[in-house]
Every structure is written in C-alpha cells, then in structure tokens.
Amino acid sequence: MGADIRKILYSRLPDRVGNRATALLIEIGIGLGAALAMLVVRFGLTEVAGDRAPYALNFLAVVIATLIAGWRSGLIALVLGQVLTWYLIVNPTLTPNGVDRDRLGGFILATCSVGLILFVMALYQREIAKGVAERERRLKLLDQALDEIDHRTRNNYSTVLAVVQLQAQRSQDPSVKTALRQVADRIQAIASASEKLALRSGDLDRIKLDEHLCSLVDQIDRGIARDGIAVVCDVEEVSASPDTATSISIIVNELVTNAIKHAFNGEGHGSVSVKGKAGQLFELVVEDDGRGIAAASKPERSGLGSKLVDSFVRQLGAHHEVVSTERGTVHRLLIPDLN
C-alpha cells in the first residue's frame, strides 16, 4: 500500500519527456488546466453554494496538478485558482474602509492552507525523487557487477574447455581422446546452461528451459553432426531453476550425443528428437529411430555417460523409462518439479 502511494505521488508526467522546454510547457499547461477546470465546476455550483467555501475546489486543483506534473504546476494552479476565484466568485466590493476583512481573511487563510499542503507534497516528491535516483544508481552498479561476473564465468568455462580440447588433440591414445572430448561436451553443456540464465530479463532465479534445451541440441548437432541424421527439438515454453536446468542439460547432452554417435552404427539415415511437454509433471522425451540398444555399436547402459544420466535423474527425483526395439530407442523422463 505504501509503495503504491509513493508511486502515485511521484508519477510526474514531465519527467517522461526528454525535452526540457516541452516539460516546462506541460507543467504550465496542467497547472492552468486544473485551475480553470475547477473554476468552471465552481461556477456551476454557484446557484447551490453561493459564495460559501469559494476556494474548496482550488485545493483539488492544486493536488491534481502537483501529482501529475510536480510542485511548479501545483503552484501555478494555486496562484491562478485563488486569484480568479477572488475576482470572479468572491467578487469583493470596495468600501470606504477597503476590502471586507472577513473575505480577505478567508482568502489569506485558504491560500496559506493550500500552500502548506503544496509545500509538504513538494518535499515528499523530492525525497521520493532522491530515493528513486539512489535506487537506479545501485541497480546500475549491480548490473555492471553481474555483467562482469557473467563475463568472467564465460571466460573461465572457455579456458577450461580449451585446455581439455587441446589435451584431447595432443593425446595419442584413442580412448583418452574420446574421454576428453566427452568431458568437453559436458563442460559445454554446463556452460550453455550458465549463459542461459535469465540475467538480462531481470530474473536471476529462472532459465527459459525451452530456449536453452533447443539451443543446446542445435549446438550438439553442429558439433558432431553426421550426414543423413536429422536432429530436431520441440519443447513447450517453460522455465526452470538454474540447478534443475543444468541437470536436465547434462541428461539431454548425454542422451542426444549417445544417440547420434551410436544409435545408427555410423550408417544409414535417421533422426533424433528432443521433446518437452509442460504440465503437472514436465515430460522430456529423447527419441531416435536407430537400431536399438542391443544393436548399438556401444552398449548404451554402461559407461560414465549412463552413470551421469542415472545420477542426475535421481537428483531431479524424476522417473526415467527406456524403451528400445530394433526400430529405435525412446527415453522418457517425468520430472516432478522444475524449481
């Protein structure tokens, strides 16, 4: 409630205009418009109210002008409204003793009262402006710090990845070379998850999982693509926490990489697909139309990759179902919570 009130008291229209001259014209126009509008309304009430409480609506004009355009606009509404009301509504008559003291006293009292309210509102708006400026300054510093952390994190991943890839190239042992390349793929999957943190959208706790997984699959396809094998991704729009997204990324990386490398035994045509369906449970399906696990060139349920998949499935509390025939293999995961 308090935040809403502060927002209302600082919703100054001229601040949204970049041109200073235009902003000044807006302040003057709103001040004049508010004063004249309330004067017209007061004229309409003359038959009912007579000359009683002639300055009541000027208070409303000052408040409206101040809220919309700031204290200068409120001051214009105050001066113009009081003067016009004095001459057009009160219409004082001069006597040998001067102006009626009661009328003059009412004018002074009403002007001072509304002026005091305007002064308080101006002070409050100034304090709110200071708070907004300080908050924007801190947010800017925070953005700069987060950008720097993000930049250094990417550099660190790139450095580690480059070292592993270089070592893989230099290695003479095929098994070591293969293992290092698999490590590089896993590092790339984790790095990709970090890059997809919704930092630029202002939400540090969520990752757009659909965009991230399809980007990862596309990256795998470009990295180890084979002629005749199509890799497709179709994930419904959904978001996940960074930890969950990283776990799912590693699972998808292992399953897709394994399918491309081993499901087709290096021959023929086929496809590998990744599908995600949002709901009470998030359903993730990685499917290929290869020769099945039994005919694969490498047993799919052995080795570090399968152990990683099983480990992260347990970490997610997910249900993992594998169906494999001579027509292909389907991995179906039901993930209960993406938070």
Side-chain angles (χ1 to χ4, degrees), residues 5 17 40 45 51-52 76 85 104 122 126 135 144-145 156 162 164 172 182 209 236 306 325 327:
I5 294 176
V17 181
V40 169
L45 297 175
D51 62 353
R52 294 186 294 274
I76 293 171
T85 301
L104 181 61
R126 187 182 69 173
R135 184 183 65 181
Q144 292 174 348
N156 290 340
V164 174
Q172 302 298 321
Q182 290 176 346
L209 191 60
E236 293 183 358
S306 295
T325 67
R327 296 182 179 181

mmCIF file of all heavy atoms in Angstrom, residues 5 17 40 45 51-52 76 85 104 122 126 135 144-145 156 162 164 172 182 209 236 306 325 327:
data_model
loop_
_atom_site.group_PDB
_atom_site.id
_atom_site.type_symbol
_atom_site.label_atom_id
_atom_site.label_comp_id
_atom_site.label_asym_id
_atom_site.label_seq_id
_atom_site.Cartn_x
_atom_site.Cartn_y
_atom_site.Cartn_z
ATOM 1 N N ILE A 5 1.233 4.307 -2.870
ATOM 2 C CA ILE A 5 1.074 5.740 -2.595
ATOM 3 C C ILE A 5 2.283 6.510 -3.073
ATOM 4 O O ILE A 5 2.181 7.575 -3.692
ATOM 5 C CB ILE A 5 0.836 5.970 -1.082
ATOM 6 C CG1 ILE A 5 -0.515 5.367 -0.661
ATOM 7 C CG2 ILE A 5 0.875 7.470 -0.756
ATOM 8 C CD1 ILE A 5 -0.793 5.456 0.806
ATOM 9 N N VAL A 17 9.221 13.163 -20.452
ATOM 10 C CA VAL A 17 9.544 13.895 -21.680
ATOM 11 C C VAL A 17 11.007 14.287 -21.639
ATOM 12 O O VAL A 17 11.493 14.860 -20.665
ATOM 13 C CB VAL A 17 8.665 15.152 -21.822
ATOM 14 C CG1 VAL A 17 9.002 15.888 -23.117
ATOM 15 C CG2 VAL A 17 7.190 14.773 -21.780
ATOM 16 N N VAL A 40 -14.477 26.337 -13.467
ATOM 17 C CA VAL A 40 -15.716 26.101 -14.210
ATOM 18 C C VAL A 40 -16.692 25.290 -13.370
ATOM 19 O O VAL A 40 -17.901 25.581 -13.326
ATOM 20 C CB VAL A 40 -15.399 25.367 -15.535
ATOM 21 C CG1 VAL A 40 -16.685 24.876 -16.200
ATOM 22 C CG2 VAL A 40 -14.641 26.277 -16.477
ATOM 23 N N LEU A 45 -21.635 25.438 -9.529
ATOM 24 C CA LEU A 45 -22.211 25.208 -8.195
ATOM 25 C C LEU A 45 -22.639 26.496 -7.508
ATOM 26 O O LEU A 45 -23.078 26.474 -6.348
ATOM 27 C CB LEU A 45 -21.182 24.486 -7.314
ATOM 28 C CG LEU A 45 -20.753 23.084 -7.770
ATOM 29 C CD1 LEU A 45 -19.649 22.553 -6.866
ATOM 30 C CD2 LEU A 45 -21.949 22.131 -7.759
ATOM 31 N N ASP A 51 -21.672 31.995 -2.437
ATOM 32 C CA ASP A 51 -20.266 32.356 -2.251
ATOM 33 C C ASP A 51 -19.638 31.659 -1.049
ATOM 34 O O ASP A 51 -18.578 32.048 -0.570
ATOM 35 C CB ASP A 51 -20.121 33.873 -2.120
ATOM 36 C CG ASP A 51 -20.869 34.414 -0.891
ATOM 37 O OD1 ASP A 51 -21.597 33.616 -0.237
ATOM 38 O OD2 ASP A 51 -20.740 35.606 -0.590
ATOM 39 N N ARG A 52 -20.313 30.591 -0.572
ATOM 40 C CA ARG A 52 -19.763 29.842 0.544
ATOM 41 C C ARG A 52 -18.658 28.901 0.065
ATOM 42 O O ARG A 52 -18.774 28.299 -1.000
ATOM 43 C CB ARG A 52 -20.868 29.035 1.258
ATOM 44 C CG ARG A 52 -21.907 29.900 1.950
ATOM 45 C CD ARG A 52 -22.883 29.039 2.745
ATOM 46 N NE ARG A 52 -23.689 28.211 1.859
ATOM 47 C CZ ARG A 52 -24.821 28.611 1.286
ATOM 48 N NH1 ARG A 52 -25.273 29.855 1.495
ATOM 49 N NH2 ARG A 52 -25.508 27.801 0.496
ATOM 50 N N ILE A 76 1.278 26.990 -9.925
ATOM 51 C CA ILE A 76 0.520 27.740 -10.938
ATOM 52 C C ILE A 76 -0.981 27.593 -10.696
ATOM 53 O O ILE A 76 -1.737 28.570 -10.763
ATOM 54 C CB ILE A 76 0.893 27.232 -12.352
ATOM 55 C CG1 ILE A 76 2.344 27.586 -12.667
ATOM 56 C CG2 ILE A 76 -0.040 27.827 -13.406
ATOM 57 C CD1 ILE A 76 2.868 26.951 -13.943
ATOM 58 N N THR A 85 -10.720 32.970 -8.465
ATOM 59 C CA THR A 85 -11.836 32.773 -7.531
ATOM 60 C C THR A 85 -12.131 34.067 -6.765
ATOM 61 O O THR A 85 -13.293 34.427 -6.535
ATOM 62 C CB THR A 85 -11.520 31.636 -6.546
ATOM 63 O OG1 THR A 85 -11.272 30.431 -7.268
ATOM 64 C CG2 THR A 85 -12.666 31.412 -5.583
ATOM 65 N N LEU A 104 -11.243 38.977 2.949
ATOM 66 C CA LEU A 104 -9.797 38.989 2.780
ATOM 67 C C LEU A 104 -9.130 37.947 3.675
ATOM 68 O O LEU A 104 -8.200 37.256 3.274
ATOM 69 C CB LEU A 104 -9.240 40.380 3.079
ATOM 70 C CG LEU A 104 -7.723 40.539 2.907
ATOM 71 C CD1 LEU A 104 -7.323 40.249 1.460
ATOM 72 C CD2 LEU A 104 -7.279 41.958 3.313
ATOM 73 N N ALA A 122 5.524 18.827 -2.145
ATOM 74 C CA ALA A 122 6.770 19.075 -2.872
ATOM 75 C C ALA A 122 7.953 18.434 -2.154
ATOM 76 O O ALA A 122 8.826 17.826 -2.792
ATOM 77 C CB ALA A 122 6.990 20.575 -3.036
ATOM 78 N N ARG A 126 10.263 15.361 -3.535
ATOM 79 C CA ARG A 126 11.715 15.493 -3.636
ATOM 80 C C ARG A 126 12.417 14.309 -2.980
ATOM 81 O O ARG A 126 13.398 13.775 -3.513
ATOM 82 C CB ARG A 126 12.176 16.801 -2.986
ATOM 83 C CG ARG A 126 13.655 17.101 -3.204
ATOM 84 C CD ARG A 126 14.080 18.362 -2.517
ATOM 85 N NE ARG A 126 14.077 18.214 -1.067
ATOM 86 C CZ ARG A 126 14.535 19.143 -0.212
ATOM 87 N NH1 ARG A 126 15.007 20.277 -0.676
ATOM 88 N NH2 ARG A 126 14.490 18.931 1.094
ATOM 89 N N ARG A 135 18.240 4.397 -5.944
ATOM 90 C CA ARG A 135 17.949 3.013 -6.328
ATOM 91 C C ARG A 135 18.452 2.726 -7.735
ATOM 92 O O ARG A 135 19.038 1.673 -7.987
ATOM 93 C CB ARG A 135 16.442 2.758 -6.250
ATOM 94 C CG ARG A 135 16.055 1.303 -6.531
ATOM 95 C CD ARG A 135 14.571 1.102 -6.516
ATOM 96 N NE ARG A 135 13.924 1.827 -7.593
ATOM 97 C CZ ARG A 135 12.615 1.836 -7.798
ATOM 98 N NH1 ARG A 135 11.818 1.182 -6.977
ATOM 99 N NH2 ARG A 135 12.102 2.521 -8.805
ATOM 100 N N GLN A 144 26.298 -3.759 -13.600
ATOM 101 C CA GLN A 144 27.692 -3.782 -14.032
ATOM 102 C C GLN A 144 28.457 -4.930 -13.372
ATOM 103 O O GLN A 144 29.253 -5.625 -14.021
ATOM 104 C CB GLN A 144 28.369 -2.445 -13.703
ATOM 105 C CG GLN A 144 27.842 -1.278 -14.525
ATOM 106 C CD GLN A 144 28.419 0.055 -14.084
ATOM 107 O OE1 GLN A 144 29.045 0.164 -13.024
ATOM 108 N NE2 GLN A 144 28.196 1.084 -14.880
ATOM 109 N N ALA A 145 28.184 -5.123 -12.061
ATOM 110 C CA ALA A 145 28.860 -6.222 -11.351
ATOM 111 C C ALA A 145 28.440 -7.579 -11.906
ATOM 112 O O ALA A 145 29.273 -8.480 -12.107
ATOM 113 C CB ALA A 145 28.545 -6.139 -9.862
ATOM 114 N N ASN A 156 36.106 -18.282 -17.881
ATOM 115 C CA ASN A 156 36.611 -19.450 -17.151
ATOM 116 C C ASN A 156 36.193 -20.755 -17.837
ATOM 117 O O ASN A 156 36.999 -21.686 -17.980
ATOM 118 C CB ASN A 156 36.095 -19.429 -15.706
ATOM 119 C CG ASN A 156 36.740 -18.326 -14.882
ATOM 120 O OD1 ASN A 156 37.803 -17.822 -15.236
ATOM 121 N ND2 ASN A 156 36.084 -17.931 -13.803
ATOM 122 N N ALA A 162 38.967 -25.050 -23.540
ATOM 123 C CA ALA A 162 40.093 -25.016 -24.481
ATOM 124 C C ALA A 162 41.222 -25.940 -24.033
ATOM 125 O O ALA A 162 41.834 -26.637 -24.856
ATOM 126 C CB ALA A 162 40.606 -23.580 -24.612
ATOM 127 N N VAL A 164 40.946 -28.681 -22.147
ATOM 128 C CA VAL A 164 40.527 -30.075 -22.337
ATOM 129 C C VAL A 164 40.578 -30.457 -23.819
ATOM 130 O O VAL A 164 41.057 -31.546 -24.182
ATOM 131 C CB VAL A 164 39.110 -30.286 -21.777
ATOM 132 C CG1 VAL A 164 38.602 -31.689 -22.106
ATOM 133 C CG2 VAL A 164 39.105 -30.081 -20.261
ATOM 134 N N GLN A 172 47.577 -39.356 -27.851
ATOM 135 C CA GLN A 172 47.781 -40.392 -28.858
ATOM 136 C C GLN A 172 46.895 -41.609 -28.600
ATOM 137 O O GLN A 172 46.729 -42.454 -29.481
ATOM 138 C CB GLN A 172 49.256 -40.821 -28.865
ATOM 139 C CG GLN A 172 50.226 -39.690 -29.143
ATOM 140 C CD GLN A 172 50.008 -39.074 -30.520
ATOM 141 O OE1 GLN A 172 49.738 -39.791 -31.484
ATOM 142 N NE2 GLN A 172 50.107 -37.758 -30.601
ATOM 143 N N GLN A 182 34.413 -36.203 -24.515
ATOM 144 C CA GLN A 182 33.156 -36.317 -23.780
ATOM 145 C C GLN A 182 33.121 -35.340 -22.607
ATOM 146 O O GLN A 182 32.088 -34.720 -22.325
ATOM 147 C CB GLN A 182 32.971 -37.750 -23.291
ATOM 148 C CG GLN A 182 32.699 -38.749 -24.412
ATOM 149 C CD GLN A 182 32.622 -40.177 -23.905
ATOM 150 O OE1 GLN A 182 33.015 -40.467 -22.773
ATOM 151 N NE2 GLN A 182 32.122 -41.079 -24.744
ATOM 152 N N LEU A 209 13.783 -22.763 -20.176
ATOM 153 C CA LEU A 209 14.261 -24.123 -20.462
ATOM 154 C C LEU A 209 14.051 -24.496 -21.923
ATOM 155 O O LEU A 209 14.892 -25.200 -22.511
ATOM 156 C CB LEU A 209 13.543 -25.115 -19.544
ATOM 157 C CG LEU A 209 14.083 -26.544 -19.519
ATOM 158 C CD1 LEU A 209 15.533 -26.566 -19.065
ATOM 159 C CD2 LEU A 209 13.234 -27.415 -18.605
ATOM 160 N N GLU A 236 7.939 -27.220 -25.229
ATOM 161 C CA GLU A 236 6.970 -26.185 -24.905
ATOM 162 C C GLU A 236 7.597 -25.128 -23.993
ATOM 163 O O GLU A 236 8.554 -25.410 -23.261
ATOM 164 C CB GLU A 236 5.748 -26.797 -24.215
ATOM 165 C CG GLU A 236 4.928 -27.701 -25.119
ATOM 166 C CD GLU A 236 3.693 -28.240 -24.425
ATOM 167 O OE1 GLU A 236 3.505 -27.936 -23.219
ATOM 168 O OE2 GLU A 236 2.925 -28.966 -25.076
ATOM 169 N N SER A 306 26.043 -43.067 -18.929
ATOM 170 C CA SER A 306 24.834 -43.628 -18.338
ATOM 171 C C SER A 306 24.790 -43.403 -16.831
ATOM 172 O O SER A 306 23.732 -43.154 -16.248
ATOM 173 C CB SER A 306 24.754 -45.123 -18.637
ATOM 174 O OG SER A 306 24.603 -45.347 -20.019
ATOM 175 N N THR A 325 13.752 -50.911 -29.154
ATOM 176 C CA THR A 325 13.492 -52.013 -30.071
ATOM 177 C C THR A 325 14.396 -51.846 -31.285
ATOM 178 O O THR A 325 15.209 -50.912 -31.342
ATOM 179 C CB THR A 325 12.017 -52.026 -30.522
ATOM 180 O OG1 THR A 325 11.773 -50.866 -31.328
ATOM 181 C CG2 THR A 325 11.076 -52.012 -29.325
ATOM 182 N N ARG A 327 13.548 -50.734 -33.894
ATOM 183 C CA ARG A 327 13.093 -49.526 -34.594
ATOM 184 C C ARG A 327 13.555 -48.244 -33.918
ATOM 185 O O ARG A 327 13.247 -47.151 -34.390
ATOM 186 C CB ARG A 327 11.572 -49.526 -34.699
ATOM 187 C CG ARG A 327 11.014 -50.656 -35.544
ATOM 188 C CD ARG A 327 9.509 -50.556 -35.635
ATOM 189 N NE ARG A 327 8.957 -51.628 -36.456
ATOM 190 C CZ ARG A 327 7.660 -51.769 -36.713
ATOM 191 N NH1 ARG A 327 6.778 -50.914 -36.188
ATOM 192 N NH2 ARG A 327 7.239 -52.772 -37.468
#
